[in-house]
Amino acid sequence: MAESVPAHRLVAQRASAPVAWATRVAPAADAPNAAAGGVRTLLRLEGAFVLAAALAAYTQFGLGWGVFALWLLVPDLSLLGYLAGPRVGAALYNAAHSYVGPVALLVLGVLAAMPWAVAGALIWFTHIGLDRALGYGLKYVSGFGLTHLGRIGRADPW
């Protein structure tokens, strides 16, 4: 006959056993939906791939590197939304750093034969890819440093 194990010991055994699917790096407690571990790495690699592909495409179809340099940081103007508060700031930042905008601009540029729109979309993709590769993700309203790729910057020392 099998020996019965008290429930409290069974729970303790399960809690101390390693979980194979657990990530090594836990997201910040105030950003529980942030990617961590291998998922975060994969998303950053995806950003690096978008960066490389957009740069390669811009080399072929772009309007020159002066235009590229002039427009590369334009999406970061969305940070000014934080002057109106974290909700507005996060919404504007996320709108400017989502792939939806550059995809729409690229489709418009291709379908309407507008080279400036294609170049703008590729510059925009480059910016987003660079940000994601560096670990800057979409913002949560709970704090500027809390992104879908995890916390950015130093933790608040206070």
Side-chain angles (χ1 to χ4, degrees):
M1 189 164 167
E3 181 181 329
S4 72
V5 177
H8 69 279
R9 287 192 183 179
L10 186 58
V11 170
Q13 286 174 350
R14 286 186 183 159
S16 66
V19 180
W21 48 264
T23 59
R24 292 182 188 169
V25 179
D30 41 4
N33 295 327
V39 173
R40 184 173 194 268
T41 302
L42 183 61
L43 289 172
R44 290 183 69 178
L45 286 173
E46 179 182 75
F49 179 80
V50 169
L51 169 65
L55 279 174
Y58 190 84
T59 300
Q60 296 297 314
F61 306 109
L63 298 177
W65 294 107
V67 171
F68 182 88
L70 182 66
W71 291 98
L72 182 62
L73 298 179
V74 167
D76 283 341
L77 291 175
S78 63
L79 291 169
L80 294 173
Y82 278 95
L83 295 173
R87 184 171 301 281
V88 173
L92 288 177
Y93 182 91
N94 291 344
H97 289 81
S98 165
Y99 289 123
V100 174
V103 166
L105 188 60
L106 183 63
V107 169
L108 172 71
V110 169
L111 295 179
M114 302 168 131
W116 62 267
V118 173
L122 294 173
I123 294 168
W124 200 351
F125 274 122
T126 300
H127 178 91
I128 295 170
L130 177 62
D131 275 3
R132 301 276 170 86
L134 294 175
Y136 297 107
L138 301 175
K139 307 290 186 198
Y140 289 109
V141 296
S142 54
F144 177 80
L146 304 176
T147 75
H148 84 287
L149 294 177
R151 177 181 284 282
I152 58 171
R154 292 189 336 232
D156 187 9
W158 305 107

